[in-house]
Amino acid sequence: TERVWQQVLKTALERKVPILVPYAKMFGSVYLQPLGPCLNQKEIPCIIQAHPKFTSNDNSIVLRVTYGSRHLLLAGDVEQKGKQWLLKQKELNMSADILKAGHHCSKTSSSNEFLQAVSSSIAICSMGRKNHYGFPHVEVLSRFQTKGMTVYRTDLDGAIQVIFSEQDELSISTTLSRNEHNEARTID
């Protein structure tokens, strides 16, 4: 919750624990690019900084991971306001082969406009089995289906492993099996 996050920040400051800000960086062949939130809206790469008018969810970090020509967008816990801000940043490239959807695939996690900007063929929804929030939201699943996206869900598929190969191939495997995803699949 917002209150808990504020307490974490206060405690870190009191104990002089450094709060590190992520920045764009290469790790071997993997490029990590934070897309937001940032207050330097006109600068690329983004310098991550909490937006004062956002909740802690909308201030969660959005990362684009690149390996070869493959991309993964990690949308954190970002909800509607944070995604609207991202969409206004016209210089940002949010396209990705895979979208790890934000906020457990809640109703506000993936608007049609956001899905169009990302143009992913695969969505991953992370949530607990039989969670009391009712995630994923049926409207979000419907948006994914309308876009022709394959959806992986941790509540039904278990752990989801995304593998980028040196041959520029992408595959996904899960620890649980359901009819739609029986084994590791290579994605074109």
Side-chain angles (χ1 to χ4, degrees):
T1 66
E2 188 72 25
R3 185 178 54 76
V4 172
W5 175 241
Q6 292 303 322
Q7 184 60 45
V8 168
L9 291 176
K10 180 181 175 197
T11 302
L13 289 171
E14 288 170 355
R15 296 182 181 181
K16 297 182 175 35
V17 174
I19 298 172
L20 303 177
V21 178
Y23 55 91
K25 184 170 175 81
M26 288 292 297
F27 291 92
S29 300
V30 177
Y31 180 61
L32 294 180
Q33 179 188 13
L35 300 182
C38 40
L39 294 179
N40 62 322
Q41 297 178 7
K42 302 298 179 206
E43 296 178 35
I44 298 291
C46 164
I47 298 172
I48 295 292
Q49 185 172 357
H51 195 290
K53 295 181 181 175
F54 285 4
T55 64
S56 58
N57 280 353
D58 282 320
N59 269 318
S60 69
I61 295 172
V62 176
L63 286 174
R64 186 169 187 250
V65 181
T66 301
Y67 183 83
S69 68
R70 298 297 190 160
H71 307 284
L72 167 67
L73 186 70
L74 303 171
D77 239 6
V78 172
E79 296 179 84
Q80 189 170 359
K81 188 181 271 189
K83 287 197 172 69
Q84 287 173 343
W85 179 88
L86 286 166
L87 289 167
K88 289 179 185 175
Q89 313 313 307
K90 299 299 182 194
E91 66 280 356
L92 287 182
N93 181 355
M94 292 191 295
S95 67
D97 300 292
I98 299 175
L99 167 65
K100 192 300 198 167
H103 204 247
H104 316 285
C105 292
S106 68
K107 187 176 182 176
T108 60
S109 69
S110 299
S111 67
N112 283 321
E113 187 180 18
F114 184 77
L115 292 176
Q116 184 174 337
V118 177
S119 66
S120 174
S121 60
I122 297 168
I124 296 175
C125 296
S126 176
M127 80 282 300
R129 189 174 182 99
K130 298 181 181 179
N131 65 83
H132 64 276
Y133 296 103
F135 296 149
H137 197 278
V138 66
E139 287 181 35
V140 171
L141 293 176
S142 177
R143 285 184 212 127
F144 293 154
Q145 183 178 17
T146 299
K147 297 279 184 194
M149 299 171 76
T150 300
V151 179
Y152 290 87
R153 299 171 42 174
T154 56
D155 64 329
L156 300 177
D157 297 313
I160 300 165
Q161 184 176 30
V162 176
I163 303 163
F164 295 93
S165 77
E166 291 183 15
Q167 294 75 34
D168 217 24
E169 293 177 341
L170 171 65
S171 63
I172 297 178
S173 63
T174 63
T175 56
L176 297 178
S177 180
R178 55 181 173 137
N179 294 338
E180 299 160 37
H181 322 295
N182 288 331
E183 54 191 54
R185 298 182 327 140
T186 300
I187 313 301
D188 295 327

